[in-house]
Amino acid sequence: MLLSARRISVNPSLLGESPVWDAANECIYWVDGVGRKIHRHNIRHNSFDEWQMPSMVGSVGLSQGSRLIAGLQDGIYEFDTATGDLTPLFQFATPDERVRFNDGKVDRQGRFLCGTMGIHAEPRGELYRVSPGGKTEVLANGIRISNALCFSPDGRVMYFADSLDRSVRAYRYDSADGALQEPRIHVDTKPYGSGPDGATVDSEGYIWVTLVQIGRIGRFDPEGQLDRLIDAPVDMPSCLNFGGPDLDILYMTSIKDSGTGRAVSRHPAGGHMFAIEGLGVTGIAETRFGLHAEV
């Protein structure tokens, strides 16, 4: 099939990340981390909304009703898109301006996992898991840039990366308590000349990874072998999620200027959100915070 990529955002983000498809309402959410905004595009009505956050926002996930769950600079919050209310679920006891939340995803059991990162890529990051009742656990530490967080279709494998390692790790993820086991290297991205940024999994269990430093997207099979490599529509793709009524559109955010000097696009459409069609595969509906997925 012939691939096509269309730009769907009106204005570019500085640091576009975390596209999340809401199937019930036929809309796609994403964030501008540096711009401190959450964006929404309703494809049914072709309308756009945005909300300004009080601090940098790394990622969002679906919650129940009109709510999202979001990783901000200093903690994890529920945000009500209908009222604008922001409710803390977890906040750092001692805020550290050198650390912020970055990539996050709701697991198949309805818990939100979100990793922190050092603002200047120091190994200060940790991977947190927040349950609907507010229980918060630290699953990993010593992370420089948390990225590529996603789950296998049955939820029994968690994929996660410290981007500066230039590899995606795979963890056995027990469905009862979600305890992390010793990881293995699932995808080594060094041969492709890039570290991994965001990632998602399709219905066949293949993982799609943005290779931000070479402007490409890789699809890797359940054994970690490269299945295909495609050019992104801009030079700095950042994160991915399948959506659309048939879950066959690959939504991709991108970077204009990450604010750190590490990632600055030279493409005129850098920072925009894109919809890539014609891939011939479908994704998996995202789990909502507090609800179990049917797997």
Side-chain angles (χ1 to χ4, degrees), residues 81-291:
T81 61
T83 65
D85 292 339
L86 197 61
T87 304
L89 295 177
F90 165 78
Q91 293 175 299
F92 295 126
T94 305
D96 186 345
E97 293 184 356
R98 299 168 296 180
V99 173
R100 70 170 177 87
F101 275 97
N102 197 46
D103 199 20
K105 196 70 63 74
V106 178
D107 70 13
R108 308 293 182 212
Q109 291 76 41
R111 300 164 293 195
F112 187 60
L113 280 75
C114 196
T116 57
M117 61 172 281
I119 295 292
H120 300 291
E122 316 97 318
R124 301 178 182 276
E126 297 178 301
L127 178 61
Y128 290 82
R129 180 173 63 216
V130 178
S131 299
K135 177 183 176 183
T136 303
E137 307 159 86
V138 176
L139 303 182
N141 52 36
I143 303 159
R144 291 166 292 178
I145 303 177
S146 299
N147 265 318
L149 185 60
C150 55
F151 298 88
S152 62
D154 62 7
R156 295 179 180 176
V157 179
M158 184 189 83
Y159 301 105
F160 180 64
D162 181 334
S163 288
L164 296 186
D165 287 341
R166 293 197 162 200
S167 63
V168 179
R169 312 169 194 168
Y171 297 79
R172 195 176 76 186
Y173 195 72
D174 185 85
S175 60
D177 62 9
L180 293 186
Q181 307 296 322
E182 191 67 24
R184 58 179 171 82
I185 300 300
H186 183 65
V187 175
D188 182 357
T189 65
K190 290 189 288 294
Y192 308 104
S194 178
D197 198 332
T200 193
V201 171
D202 65 31
S203 59
E204 298 174 16
Y206 287 58
I207 183 172
W208 295 74
V209 183
T210 52
L211 301 171
V212 60
Q213 288 148 320
I214 62 168
R216 307 185 88 179
I217 300 168
R219 186 195 193 217
F220 299 87
D221 71 19
E223 284 71 50
Q225 299 302 307
L226 180 67
D227 172 71
R228 69 176 98 167
L229 195 61
I230 64 173
D231 291 330
V234 290
D235 58 346
M236 305 204 82
S238 54
C239 200
L240 306 164
N241 191 246
F242 281 95
D246 299 316
L247 291 174
D248 59 352
I249 299 171
L250 186 63
Y251 286 99
M252 187 205 83
T253 53
S254 65
I255 299 169
K256 181 178 181 181
D257 186 343
S258 68
T260 63
R262 290 194 299 268
V264 179
S265 174
R266 296 181 179 181
H267 195 284
H272 279 283
M273 162 73 91
F274 293 85
I276 302 172
E277 299 177 87
L279 293 166
V281 298
T282 58
I284 301 169
E286 291 294 329
T287 310
R288 290 182 179 272
F289 182 63
L291 297 178

